[in-house]
Amino acid sequence: MAVPDFQSLMLPLLKFSADGEEHTMQEARDGLAEIMGLSQEDLEKRLPSGRQATFANRVAWAKVYLTQAGVLESPKRGKFYISDRGRKILAEGPERIDIKYLERFEEFQQFRQASNKNRTEKVTHTGDDETSSTTPEETLEQAYQQLRDEVANELLHLIKSNTPDFFEKLVVYLIVSMGYGGSVKEAGKATRKTADEGIDGVIKEDRLGLDAIYLQAKRWEAVVGRPEIQKFVGALHGQRAKKGVFITTSRFSKEALDYVGQIEPKVVLIDGSDLVQLMIDHSVGVSSAAVYEVKKVDTDFFIED
């Protein structure tokens, strides 16, 4: 099943704590995953940034909201247990606990009012908080991903609008930025056209030149099919090369993708979408417009020796 949103996890989390014992967040995640029949694939699904598992993030926020409403008690970092209020709620047998339900408690109202006061009027929300299925981190990362996608689309348009020579220089800068080819000057020399039409250039895999990577760069609109990749692989065999990278501004056919997974030498295919993502990751052709630092409370600071 899909990972439930954080509001849908509130009641299951409260029921999990009904035994009155003090639990860790890891115990809660394990228990809820088993109760809900989540697969390993569900548990491994991550936020867009890849920094945290989506399920872990949502369980954590469900616990935050329940704690702010006095339904759970959290005396120590990462640990919690059910409160008397939580027991009374379970005795009532609610079908669902969500933000709207928790609004009946004064502590939670104060928490929400303080949160709303700290928001700027310029922030546009995707929906009402009471019906939102996303945690604050998910909302932030979705906005980030949208901005990143817009940058990626603009980059690809600019690359396709430029000359083939520019594309070759771009490949050089990207390869060097990723840690290959030594310096831009050295890599630029190495990527001169070779006598073999199937290879556009050769660069060092490392600064010492212990191995080489053979390149093919195609600024195309059409789909790159298996025949083009086979031609490149044939050229690699002619050079006794072990590694090759085929870069295009378009995309690869399924046949081409399946083919490189079955052959030697090792060939990496980078399509237009992958290309611009690598450019963003390695700051090629882009610059930082703004940096937002997200802080969290350091609970260890408030623990007295």
Side-chain angles (χ1 to χ4, degrees):
M1 63 178 292
V3 177
D5 63 77
F6 83 103
Q7 294 196 63
S8 297
L9 287 169
M10 290 182 184
L11 181 55
L13 180 59
L14 183 59
K15 288 181 176 180
F16 171 79
S17 65
D19 60 5
E21 298 295 325
E22 187 175 85
H23 293 285
T24 66
M25 291 304 297
Q26 184 62 56
E27 290 170 347
R29 290 192 294 269
D30 292 344
L32 291 180
E34 183 177 355
I35 292 170
M36 296 182 168
L38 297 178
S39 66
Q40 189 62 34
E41 183 180 358
D42 293 329
L43 299 179
E44 291 176 354
K45 182 180 179 182
R46 306 188 78 78
L47 298 176
S49 66
R51 295 173 182 170
Q52 187 180 18
T54 300
F55 179 64
N57 176 262
R58 292 178 181 178
V59 173
W61 276 101
K63 179 254 186 184
V64 167
Y65 276 59
L66 292 175
T67 302
Q68 291 296 336
V71 178
L72 294 178
E73 297 286 350
S74 184
K76 301 176 184 177
R77 182 180 183 180
K79 295 187 177 182
F80 66 93
Y81 60 87
I82 192 171
S83 68
D84 290 338
R85 176 177 290 173
R87 292 190 182 89
K88 290 179 181 179
I89 291 174
L90 288 181
E92 294 173 0
E95 294 183 359
R96 176 180 170 85
I97 297 177
D98 52 22
I99 291 175
K100 185 176 182 180
Y101 183 96
L102 297 178
E103 286 283 3
R104 67 185 63 186
F105 304 117
E106 184 178 353
E107 300 96 323
F108 190 73
Q109 293 175 16
Q110 294 174 353
F111 162 68
R112 296 270 289 157
Q113 289 169 1
S115 298
N116 291 334
K117 184 178 180 181
N118 290 330
R119 295 175 182 166
T120 64
E121 295 180 358
K122 294 182 180 180
V123 176
T124 302
H125 297 282
T126 56
D128 187 270
D129 285 345
E130 292 183 0
T131 60
S132 175
S133 62
T134 59
T135 67
E137 280 94 345
E138 288 179 293
T139 301
L140 179 62
E141 293 201 11
Q142 286 171 4
Y144 166 78
Q145 191 61 50
Q146 182 178 352
L147 291 172
R148 183 179 174 112
D149 289 343
E150 291 174 359
V151 172
N153 290 334
E154 186 176 356
L155 279 175
L156 192 56
H157 172 73
L158 290 171
I159 293 169
K160 290 181 177 180
S161 300
N162 239 302
T163 65
D165 286 342
F166 172 83
F167 183 51
E168 290 180 9
K169 292 177 182 177
L170 165 63
V171 169
V172 170
Y173 273 95
L174 177 60
I175 294 296
V176 172
S177 298
M178 294 174 66
Y180 302 102
S183 67
V184 171
K185 182 178 180 180
E186 291 171 341
K189 290 179 180 179
T191 52
R192 293 192 304 268
K193 294 290 183 180
T194 66
D196 193 317
E197 293 183 358
I199 296 175
D200 285 338
V202 187
I203 65 168
K204 300 175 182 177
E205 184 177 15
D206 53 64
R207 293 182 180 273
L208 296 178
L210 296 176
D211 206 345
I213 299 174
Y214 288 72
L215 302 175
Q216 177 73 280
K218 295 288 187 185
R219 192 179 64 94
W220 279 14
E221 289 289 344
V223 175
V224 178
R226 175 168 171 163
E228 285 295 326
I229 306 303
Q230 286 178 312
K231 180 180 177 182
F232 179 51
V233 171
L236 294 178
H237 283 306
Q239 299 290 330
R240 295 184 179 179
K242 298 178 181 179
K243 300 172 185 176
V245 178
F246 196 116
I247 304 175
T248 182
T249 51
S250 61
R251 61 186 180 85
F252 299 98
S253 69
K254 183 179 183 303
E255 292 75 16
L257 294 169
D258 291 342
Y259 173 65
V260 298
Q262 305 169 358
I263 61 169
E264 290 289 344
K266 175 67 175 177
V267 174
V268 174
L269 303 182
I270 300 176
D271 63 14
S273 178
D274 292 335
L275 172 63
V276 292
Q277 293 300 328
L278 288 171
M279 289 175 64
I280 294 172
D281 288 341
H282 296 278
S283 299
V284 176
V286 298
S287 59
S288 296
V291 177
Y292 300 93
E293 186 176 7
V294 180
K295 296 182 181 291
K296 65 178 181 179
V297 172
D298 180 5
T299 52
D300 289 341
F301 176 82
F302 296 94
I303 298 176
E304 294 184 329
D305 296 331

